[in-house]
Amino acid sequence: MAREIEFDFPLPNGLHVRPAARLCEATERFASTVTLTNRRRSAVADARSVLALVGTLTRAGDPCLLRVEGADEDEAAAALGRFLAETLPRCDEEALPAPPIAAAPRALPRVVSRSGARVLAGLAVSGGVGRGPVRSVDEPPGGEDRAPSPGAPEREIARLEAALGRAAAALRERHARAVDSTERAILGAHLALVEDPELARQADGEIRTRGVDAAAAVRAAAERFAALLGDSGSAYLAARVLDVRDVAARILRALRDEGATGAEAAAGSTAPVAALREAAVVVADELSPDVLLALGPAQVRGLVLERGGATSHTAILARALGIPAVAGVDGVRREVATGGELIVDGERGLVIVAPPPAVVDFYAGEARQLDERRERVARFRAAAGCTAEGRPFAVEANVASLDEVRLAFANGAEGVGVFRTEMLFMSRSEPPGEEEQARVYAEAVRLAAGQPVVVRTLDVGGDKPLPYLALPAEANPFLGYRAVRIYAEHQDLIACQVRAALRASASGPVRLLLPMACCVAEVRSFRSFVARCMTELERDGVAFDRTIEIGVMVEIPSLAFALDRLAPEVDFFSVGTNDLLQYFLAVDRDSVRVAHLYDPYHPAFLRLLRQIAREARGHGRRVGVCGELGGELAALPLLVGCGFDEVSVAPTKVAAAKAALRECREAECRALLDEATQQAGPEEVAALLRQFGDAHRDARLLGVECVRLDAGSRTKETAIRELVDLLRFAGRLDDADAVEAAVWVREENGGTGIGDGLAIPHCQSPAVRSPAIAVARFVEPVDWGAIDEAPVRLAILVVVPAGGGGEHLRTIAALARRLMDEELRARLFGARDGADVVELLGSPEVPRDGAGRPSNESNRRTAGGP
């Protein structure tokens, strides 16, 4: 009897190429027929066809049915159920999020607007700044159509099949060589399209019914699917048209190269255009990911497209590769000539044609500051995780493979917080043996170089079945037979894993973490089990660490209320916020209809976290967070306020988490948490966090991050911009260009050079988030039009939000009075670093008003005013 799985489609962008390709992969190893029905549209598709699946035009929330019928339908249904629950909701995670679209800049940087340079506006689809000569690129032509050969359809079909095979082989080879995960995901999706049975069937039909040759058949089939996507009414699906045409072009090139052999054929199939020999800005109507990769991303300084948007695979790939890109620049190919110079401003969505020297200097400064911002975060890789007061707060990493272990420690992880070992057991026909596991865990320990590696024991079953365990299908797998609950029945399997982890502990610190326990008895049973494994190893003369620590995941609410009983049984606790929140709120986070209730900022959930941390620490046990909440930088003050000792985050988030923790003052975090737990709902907590973040940034009007003592500006225009950018990258401004414009309005009403080599530019603007000061000391004095006509060596920018009354004027007046002190001026000119400047100008804590915002009085104090 056929098995049916009902579900609501979970992805916000609907069923597009990448998730469709993953569903195809999930069905391939089963003999059963699998079909997907979109009940909203009554559209049915073979689940082995990417194009047919995408053609169902399935949107987020559409009611769907997956029907499995065949000899292995039970096994297939279990695996696909796991796919729908575990993999499908995360199918878009490979892609970096699209940046905010900047289609119409509110104000151009002054240097740009006054330069007379030709500026073209588009969509900012990949951030950064790039500069180089133009290289215009056209999509490469495919194979030529042959004259119809009605008398030889079988020959054309043979050509078609051979070309499909060559194109697929070339893609597999590229996919295997790809290092970047985004590139791999896109190539994998294109491979699924090339191998799509529906594409082959449509092309085959064109040859048989219309008597066309193979190339014409491929074009016709591809255009049919492209038209379907283009008419879908979904901008996201419409952006996938380029993928279909990209794949068709691959097949056409394979047809073109059918006479070649060996390396020639391979080269012809994988290289649609020649690689760039020199660095350049690529300009095109639209560009496929295949062509972008073939050009050689290292040589692509920027990308300008007439068509396309932030969700195209080319834009996604550009973000992953760090290539600044602007799309939707109408007529750009007419406006620029190959060889001419362009600047691509991927932050604002601008393209500057033939930029004059002042604009080149300006963007060089922009690029330098972007690099400094990245380096500022990167500096925390080597730093120890701690709060502002210096309390150790370890930042570890969640991993599922050795590749992720390497990435984690390259990014400064202070240990592996959770090694999700179940990934070693999936996608295979039998479990990994003890030797294989021991090698993996030992390699992780070696890479950790003395940092702890927490091995979470097997968390499978129920919603994550393994075909070789023959576990029963369940109606409610999240509450069913999984993790520690299957250990008694599968003791050999678990003993194999525990022995492997124990063996790895001989090389360095390893900890065992038990998942899904709900009571003390399960924990005691596991400890006894580990003790028996130790006895076996001792009997066999195998080395291991007898003092290995054993911890337990707190992810079932009942455990949160039994920590006093559990503490004597374990060495540490790790809170899995994903499952804990799901069980605590009774919300299926994968259900479109109720997922909005799944919010970790629910005040009751924050109370629960606080209780867990207090209980654990009260009983002398270390406690950390390993769920997604730990990776949310905005939430870190709440976790610090709870009293946790560590977080475990995605490998790529380690340095940013360390940087954010250094800003967390414990007393403030505890007060924030207390206030958050008194709120009515998650929305109020989120607003409170935003307010806390703004107030936190306001803690000092002048911070060392807003001081530059080697400012390279040579003109007043670039100097003001450099000052504005110091505040911009410190998060003090909402719109740097608007603030710059406001500063110039003030400058044009009267110069701010006060003499003695000093200037105090200033403004009020609604684009200022909070009162702030920036200081720049110039390598070469800048002509400012000062009252004594002397060039300016040091400038102090003062900005306040609109409506600040006369506070900025009082601040400026106070600054000017202080700067009359010759000794102070001399010390500022000779300051060694930013901290010196902050100390000389004074930057006390800003007094707060009742809402936690800096009070106006702060300006006077900071400036040493009355």
Side-chain angles (χ1 to χ4, degrees):
M1 182 177 179
R3 300 287 302 274
E4 295 184 343
I5 307 172
E6 296 182 356
F7 65 103
D8 293 334
F9 197 79
L11 296 178
N13 291 313
L15 181 53
H16 54 91
V17 175
R18 273 179 282 123
R22 299 294 297 272
L23 178 55
C24 288
E25 290 173 7
T27 63
E28 278 179 352
R29 62 192 178 96
F30 300 107
S32 296
T33 300
V34 182
T35 56
L36 173 78
T37 301
N38 178 341
R39 286 176 162 165
R40 178 180 64 84
R41 299 189 66 251
S42 300
V44 182
D46 179 353
R48 288 185 172 82
S49 168
V50 172
L51 292 169
L53 288 170
V54 173
T56 62
L57 304 183
T58 299
R59 300 175 180 171
D62 279 356
C64 295
L65 175 73
L66 206 61
R67 192 171 193 275
V68 187
E69 185 173 16
D72 55 357
E73 61 192 23
D74 288 341
E75 183 183 356
L80 291 171
R82 185 187 70 224
F83 171 85
L84 295 176
E86 291 288 316
T87 306
L88 183 62
R90 298 175 177 82
C91 274
D92 275 348
E93 289 182 359
E94 298 98 337
L96 299 180
I101 297 300
R106 286 163 287 184
L108 289 177
R110 181 182 173 89
V111 172
V112 177
S113 64
R114 295 171 68 91
S115 67
R118 197 147 37 111
V119 180
L120 309 176
L123 305 175
V125 299
S126 180
V129 173
R131 175 190 165 207
V134 174
R135 165 70 187 275
S136 188
V137 174
D138 294 319
E139 279 291 318
E144 297 296 326
D145 293 0
R146 296 183 176 186
S149 50
E154 296 305 326
R155 183 169 63 84
E156 291 302 315
I157 289 171
R159 291 182 63 222
L160 171 67
E161 292 174 348
L164 288 170
R166 287 195 296 274
L171 267 170
R172 279 196 205 91
E173 192 270 337
R174 290 288 301 276
H175 184 267
R177 284 193 287 114
V179 176
D180 181 83
S181 60
T182 301
E183 180 183 347
R184 285 176 60 84
I186 293 171
L187 289 172
H190 283 198
L191 176 59
L193 287 176
V194 169
E195 295 180 329
D196 196 298
E198 190 61 21
L199 178 65
R201 189 183 69 78
Q202 293 273 351
D204 183 285
E206 289 286 330
I207 294 171
R208 292 184 188 278
T209 59
R210 295 180 52 221
V212 300
D213 76 336
V218 168
R219 286 196 180 92
E223 285 307 310
R224 186 170 298 124
F225 287 113
L228 181 66
L229 296 174
D231 295 340
S232 66
S234 162
Y236 197 90
L237 285 181
R240 308 281 81 79
V241 168
L242 191 57
D243 294 294
V244 175
R245 289 179 174 150
D246 191 12
V247 166
R250 277 186 175 276
I251 301 168
L252 292 173
R253 289 196 299 275
L255 280 168
R256 181 194 64 192
D257 296 339
E258 63 184 351
T261 59
E264 289 180 0
S269 297
T270 57
V273 296
L276 293 175
R277 294 183 177 179
E278 298 177 344
V281 171
V282 172
V283 176
D285 177 17
E286 57 183 357
L287 202 72
S288 66
D290 186 29
V291 174
L292 177 57
L293 292 171
L295 288 168
Q299 297 284 49
V300 180
R301 293 291 183 263
L303 187 59
V304 184
L305 303 174
E306 290 203 10
R307 293 193 284 172
T311 59
S312 74
H313 274 160
T314 304
I316 291 170
L317 191 59
R319 290 195 289 277
L321 298 172
I323 298 173
V326 179
V329 186
D330 189 34
V332 64
R333 291 191 300 167
R334 293 193 309 272
E335 296 282 343
V336 301
T338 292
E341 187 169 88
L342 286 186
I343 287 178
V344 181
D345 181 347
E347 301 289 313
R348 299 178 178 83
L350 301 177
V351 179
I352 293 86
V353 183
V359 174
V360 171
D361 287 348
F362 166 74
Y363 275 109
E366 287 267 299
R368 185 171 62 248
Q369 296 213 41
L370 288 168
D371 289 342
E372 288 176 359
R373 182 172 58 171
R374 284 189 286 269
E375 290 170 3
R376 194 178 304 150
V377 172
R379 282 200 294 271
F380 286 93
R381 288 175 183 161
C386 67
T387 63
E389 294 85 354
R391 178 172 81 84
F393 198 111
V395 180
E396 301 177 334
N398 302 325
V399 305
S401 67
L402 287 176
D403 284 342
E404 289 189 342
V405 175
R406 294 185 185 94
L407 180 62
F409 288 109
N411 282 310
E414 297 175 282
V416 170
V418 177
F419 195 143
R420 294 176 173 129
T421 58
E422 55 271 18
M423 299 305 171
L424 302 176
F425 291 74
M426 293 181 170
S427 301
R428 53 195 301 164
S429 57
E430 57 184 21
E434 181 177 325
E435 289 297 328
E436 179 181 345
Q437 290 186 69
R439 283 196 297 274
V440 172
Y441 304 149
E443 178 63 9
V445 171
R446 188 190 70 78
L447 293 168
Q451 306 274 26
V453 174
V454 177
V455 175
R456 185 174 71 182
T457 52
L458 199 56
D459 183 7
V460 297
D463 63 314
K464 293 183 283 188
L466 298 177
Y468 44 83
L469 288 190
L471 297 173
E474 296 179 281
N476 197 342
F478 282 106
L479 303 181
Y481 194 50
R482 57 175 288 195
V484 66
R485 299 171 183 181
I486 73 167
Y487 286 9
E489 184 181 351
H490 298 278
Q491 292 192 29
D492 290 345
L493 183 75
I494 306 305
C496 182
Q497 181 178 42
V498 170
R499 284 197 300 265
L502 287 171
R503 288 169 58 181
S505 72
S507 304
V510 173
R511 300 169 184 164
L512 292 173
L513 182 61
L514 181 66
M516 282 294 290
C518 70
C519 58
V520 176
E522 287 175 327
V523 178
R524 287 176 176 166
S525 174
F526 181 69
R527 287 205 74 105
S528 299
F529 186 80
V530 174
R532 288 200 298 274
C533 292
M534 289 180 172
T535 301
E536 292 171 5
L537 291 176
E538 283 179 334
R539 183 191 60 206
D540 297 339
V542 178
F544 66 94
D545 177 11
R546 179 162 274 284
T547 65
I548 188 171
E549 292 187 358
I550 297 177
V552 61
M553 293 277 293
V554 182
E555 51 191 339
I556 296 178
S558 63
L559 215 60
F561 297 92
L563 299 189
D564 57 334
R565 301 297 181 188
L566 276 167
E569 309 293 337
V570 299
D571 299 292
F572 65 96
F573 295 104
S574 185
V575 181
T577 53
N578 299 359
D579 279 342
L580 181 63
L581 179 63
Q582 178 170 249
Y583 296 138
F584 186 66
L585 297 180
V587 170
D588 179 353
R589 61 180 183 263
D590 295 329
S591 168
V592 171
R593 290 192 172 88
V594 299
H596 65 283
L597 299 172
Y598 181 86
D599 194 323
Y601 293 159
H602 194 299
F605 186 64
L606 297 178
R607 293 185 188 194
L608 179 66
L609 293 179
R610 180 172 61 185
Q611 174 177 317
I612 292 170
R614 282 179 176 172
E615 279 284 304
R617 299 190 73 185
H619 289 85
R621 293 293 179 267
R622 196 173 56 254
V623 59
V625 170
C626 64
E628 291 178 7
L629 185 61
E632 290 189 23
L633 301 186
L636 287 177
L638 293 173
L639 301 182
V640 171
C642 286
F644 286 104
D645 299 297
E646 57 198 34
V647 289
S648 189
V649 304
T652 54
K653 293 183 176 180
V654 170
K658 287 182 176 180
L661 281 168
R662 296 278 178 129
E663 302 293 325
C664 292
R665 293 179 171 83
E666 295 193 62
E668 293 177 358
C669 293
R670 285 193 293 272
L672 171 70
L673 178 67
D674 288 344
E675 193 172 355
T677 56
Q678 299 303 315
Q679 301 302 307
E683 296 82 6
E684 288 82 357
V685 173
L688 190 65
L689 282 174
R690 286 194 295 273
Q691 187 182 58
F692 181 82
D694 287 345
H696 195 77
R697 278 189 289 273
D698 296 343
R700 292 176 185 276
L701 290 180
L702 173 61
V704 292
E705 72 278 11
C706 297
V707 178
R708 174 166 292 157
L709 298 182
D710 60 348
S713 296
R714 290 176 289 184
T715 67
K716 183 176 176 180
E717 287 183 328
T718 55
I720 286 177
R721 184 66 205 196
E722 192 167 8
L723 285 159
V724 169
D725 278 342
L726 285 171
L727 298 177
R728 168 190 173 195
F729 291 119
R732 306 293 186 102
L733 311 178
D734 285 330
D735 184 339
D737 296 336
V739 171
E740 182 191 20
V743 172
W744 275 104
V745 168
R746 175 64 187 83
E747 290 293 323
E748 287 165 359
N749 286 330
T752 55
I754 62 173
D756 297 318
L758 294 163
I760 311 179
H762 52 274
C763 77
Q764 290 187 72
S765 168
V768 176
R769 301 186 68 172
S770 58
I773 292 176
V775 177
R777 187 178 68 195
F778 304 108
V779 175
E780 296 180 14
V782 173
D783 181 9
W784 208 280
I787 56 175
D788 61 358
E789 299 184 352
V792 165
R793 297 168 59 193
L794 186 137
I796 303 172
L797 173 64
V798 180
V799 300
V800 298
E807 291 303 316
H808 73 299
L809 297 177
R810 285 191 286 273
T811 302
I812 294 158
L815 266 175
R817 283 196 298 275
R818 293 198 64 198
L819 292 172
M820 291 174 67
D821 182 338
E822 187 174 348
E823 181 182 351
L824 175 62
R825 293 199 303 271
R827 294 176 68 186
L828 282 171
F829 290 142
R832 293 168 302 177
D833 53 31
D836 271 359
V837 174
V838 172
E839 183 179 352
L840 287 168
L841 291 178
S843 189
E845 291 291 332
V846 176
R848 309 294 172 146
D849 60 20
R853 302 282 301 177
S855 72
N856 289 337
E857 192 67 21
S858 63
N859 290 339
R860 290 192 288 275
R861 293 189 183 184
T862 297

